[in-house]
Amino acid sequence: MSGRIVIFTDDPGWHGKELTQAFAKLGFSSSFVSLTECKFNIQPSLSPVIIPGFEQALPDAVFVRGVPGGSLEEVVLYLDILHALKLLNIPVYNDGHVIERSVDKAMTSFLLHQADLPTPLTWVLRNRADAIKIAEDELKKGHYLITKPLFGSQGEGIRRIEKMTDLFWLAASNGVYYLQRFVHCAGEGFSDYRVFVINNRTVAIMRRRGKSWLNNVARGASCEAIDLDPAIADIAVQATKALSMDYAGVDIIQDREGQYTVIEVNSIPAWKGLESVVNTSIATLLAEDLVNRHIKCVSHETIAAVS
């Protein structure tokens, strides 16, 4: 089988190279395209979605490695492109709805709570006075708070509120306060788990040890291979199902009472750090899942319908 895959990204880098090689082994060529270059062209007898290099025929599938930031209108356009491609029966991995749910931390927290999954106490609101009151109440109870932008990754814009004087710089992110009770991890130092899930199956796990309470690899956290705990694996899979994801990087922390809590669910996760400690080709597993479950499956269904 052969075909063409679009990888949506503005920075192919190491991950793009890994995916390109993985798709090539399955007979698919890959093209890197930025969503900023795509557009709608609503005219009779023409494809309504224009992807550079695919004006004559749309790709067999698209793999989303990055959605650019921008104004609300720009981001909505990028997501509209993903939604439209799916409606045109082009497999989108992960699709626009998944990106919307997981990029928005408020909706992620809501969906995890609705699925009865353990996640930190969370407050999302616009009123500063109410945000200050929540923070004061938590501090008086002896709890730290985390403030985050609704949209962000790799630890950008995250702060920890530890004392009353910290409230002076408590700021909204574009008018919205996202507050979350800080979870103290079990054991010495700072650590959590990154679990990689593909098609509702845990394929790899590592422990991240942070230099501070932020355990992001991009912030200097070290990676450590560990044996997979079935309890962690089950929580990660259930979190992925709650957001209807093809694949995800799920961040889980074990608190001082020994309980596991989901702190992040990433729909465009990196895996370079993970592969540095596990003997698994994540890109190969992702490419195989996309091709076998979304492209070959659709092709077989089409043939059966024609027959």
Side-chain angles (χ1 to χ4, degrees), residues 48-114:
V49 177
I50 304 299
I51 301 175
F54 294 83
E55 290 83 0
Q56 303 305 313
L58 290 173
D60 294 280
V62 300
F63 189 106
V64 183
R65 260 305 300 163
V67 176
S71 67
L72 174 61
E73 290 81 0
E74 288 172 322
V75 173
V76 168
L77 173 59
Y78 306 149
L79 293 171
D80 283 347
I81 295 291
L82 300 182
H83 293 318
L85 288 170
K86 185 173 181 179
L87 290 171
L88 292 170
N89 296 318
I90 305 299
V92 179
Y93 192 94
N94 279 304
D95 69 31
H97 289 297
V98 169
I99 303 296
E100 287 176 344
R101 295 185 191 105
S102 59
V103 168
D104 178 353
K105 290 182 174 62
M107 183 53 65
T108 298
S109 295
F110 170 76
L111 291 171
L112 291 173
H113 175 73
Q114 286 296 100

Side-chain angles (χ1 to χ4, degrees), residues 140-212:
K140 288 176 182 176
K141 294 176 184 177
H143 302 297
Y144 291 166
L145 275 175
I146 296 293
T147 68
K148 305 178 183 181
L150 273 187
F151 309 113
S153 62
Q154 299 185 335
E156 293 292 335
I158 298 179
R159 291 177 177 271
R160 187 169 71 170
I161 299 174
E162 304 176 0
K163 53 190 181 299
M164 289 295 184
T165 53
D166 291 340
L167 298 179
F168 288 115
W169 52 256
L170 178 62
S173 175
N174 292 316
V176 176
Y177 295 89
Y178 179 97
L179 306 174
Q180 198 167 64
R181 180 179 289 181
F182 179 74
V183 179
H184 293 274
C185 70
E188 297 284 331
F190 306 96
S191 67
D192 65 10
Y193 303 96
R194 162 56 64 90
V195 189
F196 213 95
V197 179
I198 301 176
N199 189 23
N200 298 327
R201 183 172 69 89
T202 298
V203 300
I205 184 174
M206 68 175 175
R207 178 186 283 117
R208 303 183 299 187
R209 294 194 177 276
K211 295 181 179 179
S212 69

Side-chain angles (χ1 to χ4, degrees), residues 105-285:
K105 290 182 174 62
M107 183 53 65
T108 298
S109 295
F110 170 76
L111 291 171
L112 291 173
H113 175 73
Q114 286 296 100
D116 291 325
L117 289 166
T119 195
L121 271 65
T122 303
W123 300 263
V124 187
L125 64 160
R126 292 196 71 251
N127 185 277
R128 177 173 175 78
D130 290 342
I132 293 290
K133 179 66 166 58
I134 290 167
E136 288 176 341
D137 289 345
E138 284 293 288
L139 289 171
K140 288 176 182 176
K141 294 176 184 177
H143 302 297
Y144 291 166
L145 275 175
I146 296 293
T147 68
K148 305 178 183 181
L150 273 187
F151 309 113
S153 62
Q154 299 185 335
E156 293 292 335
I158 298 179
R159 291 177 177 271
R160 187 169 71 170
I161 299 174
E162 304 176 0
K163 53 190 181 299
M164 289 295 184
T165 53
D166 291 340
L167 298 179
F168 288 115
W169 52 256
L170 178 62
S173 175
N174 292 316
V176 176
Y177 295 89
Y178 179 97
L179 306 174
Q180 198 167 64
R181 180 179 289 181
F182 179 74
V183 179
H184 293 274
C185 70
E188 297 284 331
F190 306 96
S191 67
D192 65 10
Y193 303 96
R194 162 56 64 90
V195 189
F196 213 95
V197 179
I198 301 176
N199 189 23
N200 298 327
R201 183 172 69 89
T202 298
V203 300
I205 184 174
M206 68 175 175
R207 178 186 283 117
R208 303 183 299 187
R209 294 194 177 276
K211 295 181 179 179
S212 69
W213 54 270
L214 274 174
N215 295 310
N216 302 78
V217 174
R219 295 281 177 145
S222 62
C223 305
E224 173 188 341
I226 62 168
D227 293 330
L228 181 62
D229 183 333
I232 297 178
D234 180 64
I235 291 173
V237 168
Q238 294 306 316
T240 306
K241 287 182 177 179
L243 276 75
S244 304
M245 303 167 113
D246 286 308
Y247 74 102
V250 184
D251 297 340
I252 296 174
I253 193 168
Q254 185 178 32
D255 65 24
R256 290 175 175 173
E257 284 70 48
Q259 301 300 311
Y260 293 119
T261 297
V262 181
I263 51 177
E264 293 277 358
V265 186
N266 306 277
S267 59
I268 309 177
W271 61 86
K272 189 174 184 180
L274 183 59
E275 280 200 10
S276 72
V277 295
V278 301
N279 188 27
T280 302
S281 173
I282 301 297
T284 295
L285 296 178

